Structure formats: C-alpha cells, structure tokens
C-alpha cells in the first residue's frame, strides 16, 4: 500500500472552479452569453483557460464587482451587465452563474432576476448558483444543465399536450468533447430518432472560419427544443457518479424531468469501451425499438479484432488515470476490459461516490489492484505514482509535469488539452472512440519502447 | 457587413486619429457586461512576482484563482522552478464561514518545510478581502517560526485593476529590499526592472550589459532570486522596462536610496540600442563603456539587418493591429513594425494612462484607431473595418484574429520565444513574416471574398 501524505494546501490542482463548468454548459445553448456575477478576473481567467483548449473565441461577461459592490451588493452591476450584454450581443438567453464573491456577500440573484421579470426584453435570464468553494467545474456544469431544463420546463407546464406518435430522446451527455457530441448526433441520425442533446457546444466551439464577425457563434441546443424537453419520450443521462448521487437525492436535469413530467431517465456511465458501448446501444434499442445499425456492429467487430492484435502490448500494464470522477470511472472500465490495471484512479472532485462507481465497473480482480483517491492534486498524485511505477498515464494536459518527471508517456484525453492541438477532436466514446483510444495507448507504449531501445526495431 | 455597435459608455475609450478630438477615457473600472480583456488586481501582482523562482507563491482563496494561473507564463529560471507550481489554500465553504487563517498558517508551514523556499508570497484573492482574514498577522507569525520573509500580497481581485496589482507586487519587492537597508554601492551597476525572462530574454539582456562592462545586481523579476532582490539597493541605477508595472518600485527606491531610474524598452532595434546607450551614458565617466556599447550595437545590428530587409520586402504595406496589456509595449511595437514596413491601423492597451495615449496618438498615423480596455466585439469591429493582416496580442485575442483570417503574433507573457533585444527583433520579424505570408490565408473565406472583389 502506498503511504499517504496529507497537505493542507492544494498543489497543482486537478480541478478548476465551479463557474467554469457552468460557462461551458451555457456555451452549448443557442445564442446564449454566459455572465459571471463577480469580479472581472474570474471571467477573464476562465475565458483564457477555455480558449486555450477550444481555440475559439469564448466570451464570458462579468458583472465586474468593485469595492462598493462588495459592500452594497451587486444588484446594480448585475442589471447593468445584463443590459450591456443585451445591447451588444442580442442573445436569446443570458446564462448567469454566481462566483465565490457574489455568494459570499449573499447577493440574492433569483430575487434580482425576478424583479426584472426573468427576462431582459426578449432575452431569457437563467441563473445557476455556483460557489466555487463547494465543488469543482463538473458540478458547475451539471448544475447549469439542470438550471436550464428547470427554467424552460416549469411545473406549470405539466398539463401540456404530449404527442404520442413521435419519439424524442433527451440526451444529457455531460462534459464530453466536441467530437463526442458529434458522434452522438451521428448515431441518432443513423437510427433516425430525434435527440435533444443538452448542452451541445460542438458547433459553437468549433465552427468554420468566418466571413463576418459572429458576436455569438452559430450552434448550440436551440431554446425552442429545450422548451420541448418535457414532451420527450425518455431521457438518457451519462455519468455513473451523477447516477449514484441522484440515487442519494441530488437532482439532475434528467431526474427533474422524471419527477415533474414522468419522463423516465435512463442513467449509465459514459460509453467508453466495448462493454459500456454495448450497454449504450442496448439501452437505445430498448428505448427506441430500433436495432443498432450495421455500421456500428462493424465498428465493434474491428475494435475487438484490434484488441486481439494488440493484447500482449497492454495486458497487465499499469496506468494512472485522473480527471473528473465520471470520466475516470469510464476510462478505468475501458482499461480494465483490455487488461490494463488502472493502479491509481485520481480526481480533484470529492463526490463521495468515486470508489463505489469504480467498484461497480471493474472486475473484482482488477479493483483490488487499484488505488482510488478523490480530492487529490497533481503533486500528491505524482508522489503516489512514483511508488506505483505506471507504464503510462492518461488524462488531460495538466498531468504533463507528472509524466515528464516519471518519464512515462502521457496519453492526452478529456479536458483541458492545453499543450496540443485537436483536444476538441478527440473522440472518446462509442466503439469508434474506444478504437482511437486503444490505438493511441498502444502506440504511445510502442513509441516509448522504441525510443528507449538501443536497437530501435522497425517492426513491432 | 453586419454592424457591430459600440456601447455608449465605451465611446470615449475609442479614438480615431484625425477624426476625433478628445482625451481618451482610461484608467477606469471595466464596464459591467462589456467582456473586458483585462484580468484583475491579483493578475497584476502575479505577473510581476511570478518569475521569482525560489519563492513560494501561495494563493489564498478558493481554487480557481490558483488553478488558472498554474504555469501560464513563459518566464524561465536557470535554477529552481518553484514559481511554476500552483499552491492554493483551496478554501472550502467552512473556511469561508469560519475564516481561513488557520488553514493558511498550516499550509504555509507545511509547504515551507517541504520546499525550503527563500521567501513566501501570500496572494490575497477576492474572497480573502471579503471574509477579512488577517493575512498580515499570519505572515508575521509564520515568518517568526520559519525565519524566511513571508509577505502578504494585497491583490484582492476586485480592489482596483491590474495596475493596483502591480503596485502591490512592487510593495512586496520593496519590503524585501528594505530588509537589508542601505548597502555599499557596487560600481557601474544596475538593476533591471520590469523584465520577466520570457523565453530567456533576461539572459540575453544581461549578456549585453556584461559585454558593456555593466554589473547587474538584480533583475526584477526575470530569473529572479530572493537574495538578489534583497541586494538591489546596492545598484547605482534602475533601468526600468515595461514601466507600467514597476515604476512604482523605481520611484520608491529613488526616494529611499537615491537610486535614479530611466525608462527603457528592449523591443525593437531602435529601443534596444537606445536603452543600452542611455545606460552607457549614465556611466559616462568610464568612456570604455560607451565604446563597448557602440561596438556591441554595431555588431548586433549588422548581424540581423540583412535578414530584416529580406523580410521587409514581403511585409511592406501590410497592416497591423496591436492590443497589449501596457501601452509602453505598444510604443515599441509600433516602431518595430515600422521597421518592417508595416502600418499600424489599431493600437490599444488594457491599462494605458492619459499620458500614454497622448504619446500613442503622436506616434500613430492618421486613421489609426486607439482603444482603451477594449472587448472582443470592438477589436473585431476595427480589425475588420481596417482590414488588418496581422494582430499582435495575447491568448484571448488570438481566436478573434484567426476566426477572421488574420495572422497573429503572441506578444504576451505566455509566449515561449524571446522577442527582446536584437535577436528578439529577428525572432519577432520571422514570426510576423511566417504568419502573414502563410499560404493558408488563401483558403480562408474572408480572404477569398476579398480576392474576388
Ligand atoms: S473566486 Fe471563485 S469563481 Fe472566481 S476564479 Fe476564484 S474560485 Fe473561481
Ligand atoms: S477571485 Fe478575484 S482574485 Fe481571483 S481571479 Fe477572480 S477577480 Fe481575480
């Protein structure tokens, strides 16, 4: 067993703050501008962080607290910010997230917005509370998604007409890559079922070069669709941690619709790996009655065949995985399925469900060989990893320092990818995403073996 | 073209030379909802102190502020690299309610024990300003126990702008210097202020001074060490670059130690030569120095001029937009771009002063747009209207330029290549040339349309 150092300070955090997740989710809604209620710095830093990953313009407004605001409250600033955004951007929605600052001074944002009638002209004002000292970016993301669904599907709409003939699926994918979202769209397109994917930043945060300046990029889940979510047949929500926390009473977008409108919500982990993707397609078949298209059967066939071709380069290798708990869980499931032991599964989050979700997804044999750490930073991770001697590490760019000092390859996945291009185009999910991850991992291992070999064989 | 409107409150921050006639409005809080490109007070402090590589930089607050500033700058160190770590007290809800002093104290003691830094800087963030932690007394206590300087940086984000952050950082540096009091002068010596060793720039500049026969006592803060900073009062002259950030320190040192200062810039041939000559002439009783300087400048310039003229052929008549943090950098860039035959059609800064903008006005040609504290929409509006070929800015400006099919050169602290000094000018020219002449622009819709017109 590895020893455990406990430091009071966080050293190189494996997380960012809550409003960042909310801002990202708001970027997945059509014609929406995110607005952080707090100081200028928070917005600018988050923009910089997101831009470095997406490599697209990302505007996040700030209500720009000053010392007076901190004393007298931020209502006036918030209103002014909303006014100015409406003028400059003409959005359909402003997604407002609180910050540590507005939370601490106790601004009652819902009340302020209520006074404004929850609209600024025709712009809908949607609020989510995201104090950073109570969670991480992934919490902010989920909370924002729930807040959007809540706002546009109020209890009062309960008695609405529900068409029986047409199947529509609400899909809450969580924080996936642009390519992942595009892949999901492709799948639903192929089975000819309409899915309302919330949020969908795959176009907005990766559009073509412009002819004219776009104050708000095109793309995102349209509000008119979000308003219809209450009429859908079923909801599908990714994230095993999210699933476990819903069981314990947390409200998610899916559970809200379930409770309010009786739309059954199917929860499952992010579909990475053959088994998880099988489950995904099985669920889709069950929900829609549509068979999995041959295209995907073929992808699966090729994937398993490649597992066989590559088995001896990966079996019993050791990996360190880190990132958001949900993402790590699903990646661990995939690695376990191909015989890689995720010797350390770490996250900066602390949902309290991390162990459970890993236990659920991994075989007993593998589970007993792993260490699970929530609320962990990169410095502690590195100290642990030294003892564990992984063959590679897998996660976002922020693990590069650790990879470098351990002298093992870093397989870049998830968010953020700050030191490479194409972070938005990494496909993680489905048979096809798994295929890419599988190839990338094996090639990383082969590369490092080849590099460190005296001989430098030109065949595997 | 779709019209991008400018907010009324912003109109006075935008000036077109030859058309408008008012003093540009500046040094104001950013307008709520306007999406300023500025960061906060904390950011200003972090910029200035960041390169001090053997100090512990701990950010007292919730995680975001630390997380977003982890290893974001290209400031190199020749030794320790503690500055590249991101330390945070990562305040949680209970800390916010009951105060974070205990946590800070514990964090400091543990980290100082673990990393043995030569000093510790405790950056206050917004939350700390609100919950009223007595950071000062925690620092004093820890200092007593650990026997290293432990200094609070008053950088609460909302208490001003980036400039106030510079000032807070200067106060910290001054505190360090002051601990040693007045010291014996080192002959023919300078401190280099406002130089942050991005991509190794400090090393290049120090090399110039070495060749000139000048002793560099300390650099604040490129490749910085606590000990060097504490020796700073033994220098004869402060040579201040990036004047926005460290003039406050230079002034304090002048008052306290009678060290005069000059403002210089190391961007571009003209400004670099000028900087070196002015330092040489300060030590004019030693005529050797001036001779060596002349020789150095001649040699360095000769080495890069042929390359530059080659590049100039392709760049002549191309149009550039500049949006940077401090106006001082814009001055140098305008000169450097002129050297490459380029015309500046937009020049702006996050933190320029009335004085700065007057100078800028004087330097720019008719029609040039001058912007204070701009936002993405304004930047986009004017680079399109003026049809720029090149945009010089930082990470947040890059996608604006790229989306519109405009070349880009990163001139921020996050870049990795040295752009200072003579070699830096060459690097700059090469980078500008590479991006402006890239054949990919031929494929970009906005350029295609233009070509058809
Ligand atoms: S104050 Fe809170 S919201 Fe702002 S950057 Fe820091 S952690 Fe994030
Ligand atoms: S909380 Fe304050 S100090 Fe931290 S990034 Fe935001 S504005 Fe800056």
């Amino acid at each position: 067993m590895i020893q455990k150092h406990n430091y009071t300070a966080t050293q190189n955090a494996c997380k960012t703050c809550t409003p960042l997740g909310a801002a990202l989710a708001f970027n997945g809604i059509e014609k929406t501008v995110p607005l952080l209620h707090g100081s200028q710095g928070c917005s600018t830093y988050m923009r910089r962080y997101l831009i470095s990953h997406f490599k697209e313009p990302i505007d996040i407004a700030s209500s720009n607290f000053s010392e007076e605001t901190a004393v007298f409250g931020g209502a006036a600033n918030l209103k002014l910010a909303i006014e100015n955004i409406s003028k400059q951007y003409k959005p359909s929605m402003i997604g407002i997230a609180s910050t540590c600052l507005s939370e601490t001074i106790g601004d009652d944002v819902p009340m302020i917005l209520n006074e404004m009638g929850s609209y600024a002209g025709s712009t809908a004002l949607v609020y989510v509370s995201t104090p950073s000292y109570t969670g991480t970016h992934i919490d902010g993301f989920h909370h924002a998604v729930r807040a959007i669904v809540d706002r546009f599907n109020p209890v009062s709409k309960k008695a609405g007409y529900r068409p029986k003939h047409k199947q529509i699926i609400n899909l809450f994918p969580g924080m996936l890559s642009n390519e992942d979202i595009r892949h999901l769209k492709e799948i639903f397109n192929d089975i000819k079922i309409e899915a309302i994917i919330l949020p969908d930043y795959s176009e907005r945060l990766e559009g073509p070069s412009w002819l004219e300046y776009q104050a708000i990029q095109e793309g995102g889940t349209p509000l008119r669709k979000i308003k219809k979510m209450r009429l859908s047949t079923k909801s599908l929500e990714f994230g095993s941690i999210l699933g476990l926390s819903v069981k314990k009473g947390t409200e998610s977008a899916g559970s809200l619709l379930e409770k309010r409108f009786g739309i059954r919500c199917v929860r499952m982990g992010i579909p990475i790996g053959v088994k998880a993707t099988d489950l995904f397609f099985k669920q889709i078949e069950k929900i829609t009655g549509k068979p999995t298209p041959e295209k995907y059967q073929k992808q699966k066939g090729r994937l398993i065949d490649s597992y066989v071709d590559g088995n001896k380069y990966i079996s019993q290798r050791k990996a360190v995985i880190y990132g958001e708990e949900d993402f790590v869980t699903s990646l661990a499931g995939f690695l376990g399925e191909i015989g890689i032991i995720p010797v350390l599964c770490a996250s900066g989050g602390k949902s309290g469900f991390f162990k459970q979700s890993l236990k659920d997804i991994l075989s007993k044999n593998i589970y007993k060989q792993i260490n699970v750490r929530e609320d962990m930073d990169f410095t502690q991770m590195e100290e642990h990893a030294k003892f564990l001697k992984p063959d590679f590490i897998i996660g976002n760019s922020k693990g590069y320092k650790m990879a470098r000092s351990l002298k093992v390859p870093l397989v870049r996945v998830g968010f953020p990818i700050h030191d490479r291009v194409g972070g938005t185009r990494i496909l993680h999910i489905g048979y096809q995403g798994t295929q890419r991850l599988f190839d990338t991992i094996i090639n990383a291992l082969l590369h490092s073996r080849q590099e460190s070999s005296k001989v430098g064989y030109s065949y595997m | 073209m779709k019209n991008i409107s400018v907010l009324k409150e912003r109109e006075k921050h935008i000036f077109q030379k030859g058309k408008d006639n008012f003093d540009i409005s500046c040094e104001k809080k950013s307008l709520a909802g306007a999406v300023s490109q500025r960061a906060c007070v904390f950011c200003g402090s972090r910029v200035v102190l960041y390169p001090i590589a053997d100090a512990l930089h701990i950010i007292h607050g919730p995680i975001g502020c630390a997380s977003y500033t982890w290893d974001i700058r290209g400031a190199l160190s020749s030794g320790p690299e503690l500055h590249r770590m991101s330390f945070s007290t990562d305040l949680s809800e209970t800390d916010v309610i009951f105060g974070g002093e205990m946590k800070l104290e514990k964090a400091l003691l543990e980290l100082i024990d673990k990393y043995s830094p030569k000093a510790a800087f405790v950056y206050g963030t917004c939350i700390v300003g609100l919950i009223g932690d007595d950071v000062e007394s925690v620092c004093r206590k820890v200092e007593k126990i650990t026997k290293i300087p432990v200094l609070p940086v008053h950088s609460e984000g909302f208490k001003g702008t980036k400039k106030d952050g510079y000032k807070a950082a200067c106060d910290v540096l001054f505190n360090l210097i002051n601990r040693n009091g007045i010291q014996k002068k080192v002959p023919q010596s300078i401190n280099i202020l406002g130089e942050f060793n991005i991509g190794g720039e400090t090393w290049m500049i120090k090399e110039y001074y070495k060749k000139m026969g000048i002793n560099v006592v300390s650099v604040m803060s490129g490749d910085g060490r606590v000990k060097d900073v504490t020796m700073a009062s033994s220098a004869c002259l402060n040579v201040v670059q990036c004047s926005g950030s460290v003039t406050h320190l230079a002034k304090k040192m002048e008052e306290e130690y009678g060290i005069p200062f000059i403002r210089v810039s190391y961007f571009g041939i003209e400004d670099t030569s000028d900087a070196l000559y002015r330092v040489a002439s300060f030590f004019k009783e030693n005529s050797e120095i001036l001779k060596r300087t002349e020789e150095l400048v001649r040699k360095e310039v000769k080495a890069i001029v042929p390359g530059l003229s080659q590049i100039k052929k392709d760049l002549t008549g191309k149009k550039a937009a500049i949006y940077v943090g401090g106006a001082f950098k814009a001055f140098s860039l305008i000169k450097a771009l002129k050297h490459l035959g380029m015309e500046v059609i937009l020049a702006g800064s996050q933190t320029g002063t009335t004085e700065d903008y007057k100078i800028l006005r004087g330097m720019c040609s008719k029609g040039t747009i001058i912007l204070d504290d701009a936002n993405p929409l304004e930047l986009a509006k004017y680079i399109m209207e003026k049809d720029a070929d090149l945009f010089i800015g930082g990470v947040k400006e890059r996608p604006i330029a790229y989306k519109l099919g405009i070349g880009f050169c990163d001139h921020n602290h996050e870049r990795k290549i040295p752009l200072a000094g003579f070699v830096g000018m060459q690097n700059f020219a090469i980078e500008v040339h590479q991006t402006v002449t890239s054949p990919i622009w031929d494929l970009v819709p906005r350029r295609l349309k233009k070509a058809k017109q």
Side-chain angles (χ1 to χ4, degrees):
Chain A
M1 202 57 207
I2 42 179
Q3 74 222 66
K4 199 171 172 185
H5 299 278
N6 258 329
Y7 290 101
T8 308
T10 297
Q11 309 169 59
N12 299 343
C14 181
K15 61 180 175 184
T16 65
C17 67
T18 328
L20 178 126
L24 177 57
F26 287 139
N27 260 292
I29 314 299
E30 193 178 65
K31 289 204 97 26
T32 291
V33 175
L35 162 63
L36 302 190
H37 188 35
S39 301
Q40 182 65 51
C42 310
S43 291
T44 305
Y45 275 132
M46 285 176 221
R47 284 177 61 206
R48 202 198 137 274
Y49 198 86
L50 288 165
I51 288 172
S52 300
H53 172 86
F54 287 97
K55 300 171 171 75
E56 291 280 317
I58 297 178
D59 292 5
I60 302 172
S62 167
S63 58
N64 202 351
F65 271 42
S66 63
E67 278 181 88
E68 298 80 60
T69 333
V71 178
F72 300 113
N77 273 48
L78 183 61
K79 284 180 189 162
L80 179 62
I82 290 171
E83 210 179 286
N84 283 334
I85 296 168
S86 309
K87 269 192 236 159
Q88 273 205 303
Y89 290 85
K90 305 185 177 58
S92 312
M93 172 182 141
I94 298 176
I96 302 155
S98 60
T99 61
C100 306
L101 216 62
S102 54
E103 293 282 346
T104 307
I105 66 168
D107 259 0
D108 190 346
V109 179
M111 197 190 76
I112 302 169
L113 298 184
N114 250 335
E115 278 172 17
M116 299 177 74
S118 300
Y119 274 96
S122 58
T123 305
L125 307 174
V126 176
Y127 171 68
V128 57
S129 163
T130 46
S132 191
Y133 42 75
T134 61
T136 72
H137 57 287
I138 197 71
D139 300 299
F141 188 95
H142 290 313
H143 293 168
V145 173
R146 186 192 59 213
I148 297 162
V149 169
D150 180 19
R151 167 63 195 271
F152 295 109
N153 298 275
V155 188
S156 58
K157 289 276 166 71
K158 210 164 179 167
Y161 163 72
R162 170 157 334 156
K164 281 256 155 37
H165 57 281
K166 200 178 159 209
Q167 289 205 37
I168 299 174
I169 308 292
N170 299 324
L171 176 55
F172 304 106
M175 211 174 124
L176 296 183
S177 78
N178 290 346
E179 196 69 29
D180 289 331
I181 298 175
R182 286 189 285 263
H183 190 58
L184 287 169
K185 286 190 192 170
E186 186 187 334
I187 291 170
F188 280 92
N189 207 21
D190 286 342
I191 58 170
K192 300 193 177 59
I193 292 283
E194 182 182 347
I196 306 175
I197 301 178
L198 182 73
D200 172 12
Y201 36 77
S202 65
E203 301 291 320
R204 239 187 105 162
L205 298 185
E206 201 169 356
S209 185
W210 298 341
L211 257 180
E212 302 278 356
Y213 194 78
Q214 301 179 11
I216 307 175
Q217 294 100 304
E218 273 164 32
T221 320
L223 286 188
R224 66 183 155 75
K225 294 245 161 117
I226 300 174
K227 287 175 184 161
K228 287 204 173 132
M229 284 187 130
R230 69 194 162 84
L231 304 175
S232 295
T233 351
K234 292 264 167 35
S235 300
L236 190 57
E237 199 164 57
F238 289 167
S240 37
I241 301 278
L242 189 66
L244 288 169
S245 61
V246 166
K247 263 193 208 150
K248 279 269 151 68
T250 308
E251 191 170 63
S252 67
S255 73
L256 182 145
L257 289 171
E258 190 158 36
K259 215 163 49 193
R260 236 174 241 180
F261 306 102
I263 303 170
R264 202 168 79 76
C265 180
V266 178
R267 289 189 189 82
M268 55 181 301
I270 305 164
I272 306 177
V274 169
K275 286 178 194 155
T277 308
D278 280 350
L279 182 68
F280 169 67
F281 277 109
K282 212 170 93 200
Q283 288 291 4
I284 293 199
E285 283 184 4
K286 223 160 98 191
I287 295 171
T288 65
K290 300 250 183 164
T292 305
E294 201 191 340
K295 175 174 156 190
Y296 300 98
Q297 302 287 7
K298 283 188 169 166
Q299 286 177 3
K300 178 180 171 181
R302 284 193 294 269
L303 175 59
I304 294 178
D305 190 56
S306 71
Y307 275 10
V308 174
D309 293 338
N311 78 87
K312 67 172 181 157
Y313 305 107
I314 43 168
S315 183
Q316 292 172 26
R317 301 299 191 277
K318 292 183 284 181
V320 169
I321 324 179
Y322 56 87
E324 297 93 23
E325 292 158 277
D326 262 328
F327 188 64
V328 171
T329 301
S330 293
L331 268 182
F334 157 57
L335 294 186
E337 153 180 306
I338 56 176
I340 294 177
I341 301 138
V343 282
L344 176 60
C345 297
S347 177
K350 43 175 175 183
S351 67
F353 302 109
F354 199 22
K355 273 204 169 125
Q356 186 58 50
S357 71
L358 282 160
K359 201 170 176 181
D360 291 347
I361 202 163
L362 291 169
S363 70
K364 264 208 194 99
N365 172 41
I366 293 204
Y367 182 74
K368 67 175 196 251
Q369 302 181 62
I370 70 168
N371 296 280
V372 184
R373 292 279 183 280
E374 53 172 39
D375 195 15
M376 190 175 235
D377 60 35
F378 279 108
T379 304
Q380 291 180 66
M381 223 186 284
E382 191 179 318
E383 283 161 15
H384 280 27
K386 260 188 212 137
F387 292 99
L388 296 167
K389 303 211 180 342
D391 296 291
F392 70 103
I393 68 177
I394 179 164
N396 57 51
S397 282
K398 298 301 173 194
Y400 177 65
K401 183 179 176 293
M402 169 167 65
R404 195 177 159 103
S405 86
L406 296 174
K407 299 198 175 58
V408 295
L410 164 63
V411 175
R412 288 172 179 78
V413 291
F415 168 90
I417 303 299
H418 282 164
D419 60 348
R420 287 289 184 276
V421 297
T424 51
R425 293 182 289 278
I426 299 176
L427 180 63
H428 309 86
I429 62 164
Y431 300 121
Q432 205 177 333
T434 307
Q435 181 75 71
R436 296 212 193 143
L437 292 182
F438 181 78
D439 293 347
T440 312
I441 290 170
I442 292 205
N443 285 337
L445 289 170
L446 288 174
H447 177 84
S448 83
R449 195 181 73 169
Q450 197 170 32
E451 288 287 284
S452 60
S453 139
K454 280 202 196 94
V455 187
Y457 294 108
S458 51
Y459 277 93
M460 284 163 68
Chain B
M1 189 166 76
K2 269 184 268 172
N3 241 341
I4 300 177
S5 61
V6 170
L7 293 169
K8 202 156 180 358
E9 296 88 333
R10 291 272 323 140
E11 281 169 3
K12 290 279 181 225
H13 292 258
I14 302 166
F15 180 94
Q16 182 161 14
K17 186 166 168 181
K19 185 172 148 236
D20 297 323
N21 193 12
F22 53 80
D23 277 338
I24 191 162
S25 177
C26 57
E27 295 186 271
K28 298 249 163 66
K29 272 297 277 190
S30 302
L31 180 63
V35 194
S36 164
Q37 303 290 83
R38 282 180 182 167
C40 57
V41 181
F42 161 66
C43 172
S45 297
R46 196 87 174 96
V47 170
V48 173
L49 296 175
Y50 184 90
I52 301 183
D54 57 354
L56 180 87
H57 302 255
I58 183 166
I59 296 155
H60 187 32
I63 196 63
C65 325
S67 194
Y68 301 129
T69 50
W70 175 19
D71 201 24
I72 63 169
R73 293 178 184 276
L76 301 184
S77 163
S78 53
E81 291 204 315
L82 204 46
H83 66 303
R84 295 183 60 195
M85 297 284 287
S86 160
F87 299 115
S88 167
T89 47
D90 197 353
L91 295 181
S92 65
E93 191 156 22
T94 40
D95 303 320
V96 170
I97 297 166
F98 299 110
E101 291 171 25
M102 294 266 281
K103 196 169 189 184
L104 174 63
E105 182 184 324
K106 242 181 118 208
L108 274 168
L109 290 173
E110 286 169 9
L111 293 176
I112 293 171
D113 181 53
K114 183 178 178 191
Y115 294 99
S116 320
K118 297 292 183 295
F121 303 138
V122 182
Y123 298 79
T125 60
C126 289
I127 286 297
V128 174
L130 283 183
I131 61 177
D133 274 359
D134 187 354
V135 175
E136 202 107 16
S137 79
V138 174
C139 287
R140 250 179 278 129
K141 192 169 163 198
V142 174
E143 178 158 337
K144 249 196 210 132
I145 301 171
T146 58
K147 312 251 172 351
I148 61 162
V150 180
L151 298 169
V153 188
H154 297 289
S155 54
E156 293 87 349
F158 62 93
K159 293 189 174 167
T161 64
K162 197 168 166 185
K163 274 199 169 164
D164 298 280
Y166 294 149
K167 206 163 153 256
C170 286
D171 289 338
V172 166
L173 291 171
F174 186 72
N175 182 312
L176 277 178
I177 298 167
N178 221 7
R179 285 164 181 251
N180 260 351
I182 300 174
Q183 289 168 72
K184 219 178 119 227
K185 292 279 174 215
V186 175
Q188 284 157 21
S189 66
I190 59 168
N191 294 314
I192 301 176
L193 269 62
E195 169 36 65
F196 304 112
N197 204 27
I198 309 300
E201 289 174 344
T202 302
W203 299 330
M204 285 166 36
I205 291 161
K206 269 175 116 171
E207 191 59 31
Y208 295 152
Y209 285 123
K210 199 173 139 200
K211 284 187 181 149
M212 287 159 60
I214 304 278
N215 298 305
V216 176
V217 175
S218 78
V219 182
M220 285 178 268
S221 52
D223 195 13
R225 300 292 180 275
V226 174
K227 185 154 177 279
D228 295 345
V229 174
T230 59
M231 300 304 291
S233 69
S234 61
C236 307
L237 175 69
N238 278 335
V239 184
V240 185
Q241 203 202 199
C242 188
S243 69
S245 63
V246 282
T247 308
H248 178 68
L249 176 64
K251 281 187 180 154
K252 277 182 102 161
M253 288 178 76
E254 184 167 42
E255 264 167 44
E256 191 72 23
Y257 307 114
I259 303 176
F261 69 90
I262 54 170
R263 295 176 199 231
V264 302
S265 159
Y266 302 108
F267 291 117
I269 294 183
E270 266 178 271
D271 283 1
T272 306
S273 318
D274 185 57
L276 301 182
Y277 278 129
R278 282 174 61 205
V279 172
S281 67
F282 181 84
F283 297 104
K284 58 176 171 291
E285 65 280 8
N286 185 341
S287 58
E288 268 304 297
I289 292 183
L290 189 62
K291 239 193 260 157
R292 282 189 222 123
T293 309
E294 278 166 357
E295 200 179 310
L296 170 89
V297 171
R298 203 179 319 118
K299 227 172 104 194
E300 294 282 341
V301 172
K302 210 176 139 201
I304 61 168
V305 157
L308 293 181
S309 337
Q310 199 56 36
I311 285 175
K312 188 175 174 180
K313 280 187 204 148
D314 291 334
L315 295 180
T316 299
K318 300 271 186 203
K319 287 171 275 182
I322 301 170
Y323 189 76
V324 285
F328 223 68
K329 197 192 273 173
F331 304 160
S332 296
L333 284 172
I334 291 175
K335 286 186 233 170
L337 287 166
K338 271 191 189 145
H339 214 108
L340 297 176
M342 294 183 78
E343 185 195 339
V344 173
I345 46 89
L346 178 149
S349 82
Q350 292 173 14
T351 57
T353 61
T354 315
E355 201 45 46
D356 292 339
Y357 287 118
K358 275 197 187 129
I359 300 173
L360 209 51
R361 252 160 94 169
M363 293 179 76
C364 291
S365 40
K366 216 176 130 203
T368 303
I369 303 286
I370 297 173
L371 280 168
D372 171 70
D373 186 19
N375 58 46
L377 290 178
E378 292 164 3
L379 291 171
K381 176 183 168 79
Y382 294 110
I383 54 176
M384 281 199 296
E385 277 181 23
K386 296 283 168 186
D387 200 14
D389 300 288
L390 171 74
F391 196 125
I392 302 179
V395 173
K396 291 181 302 279
E397 288 81 29
R398 182 170 49 211
I400 304 172
Y402 280 172
K403 273 291 172 195
L404 294 166
I406 294 168
F408 182 80
C409 167
D410 190 348
H411 213 296
N412 209 337
H413 287 210
E414 297 166 12
R415 70 193 144 83
K416 307 287 179 278
I417 23 172
L419 300 180
F422 301 105
V423 176
M425 177 64 195
Q426 192 174 22
N427 293 344
F428 174 68
I430 292 171
E431 199 182 328
V432 169
H433 188 249
Q434 281 170 343
T435 188
V436 171
T437 62
S438 168
I440 56 131
W441 305 125
D442 295 345
L443 303 168
V444 166
R446 230 185 112 249
R447 298 291 182 107
L448 275 181
K449 197 177 136 200
K450 244 185 358 200
K452 273 192 208 133
Q453 275 170 0

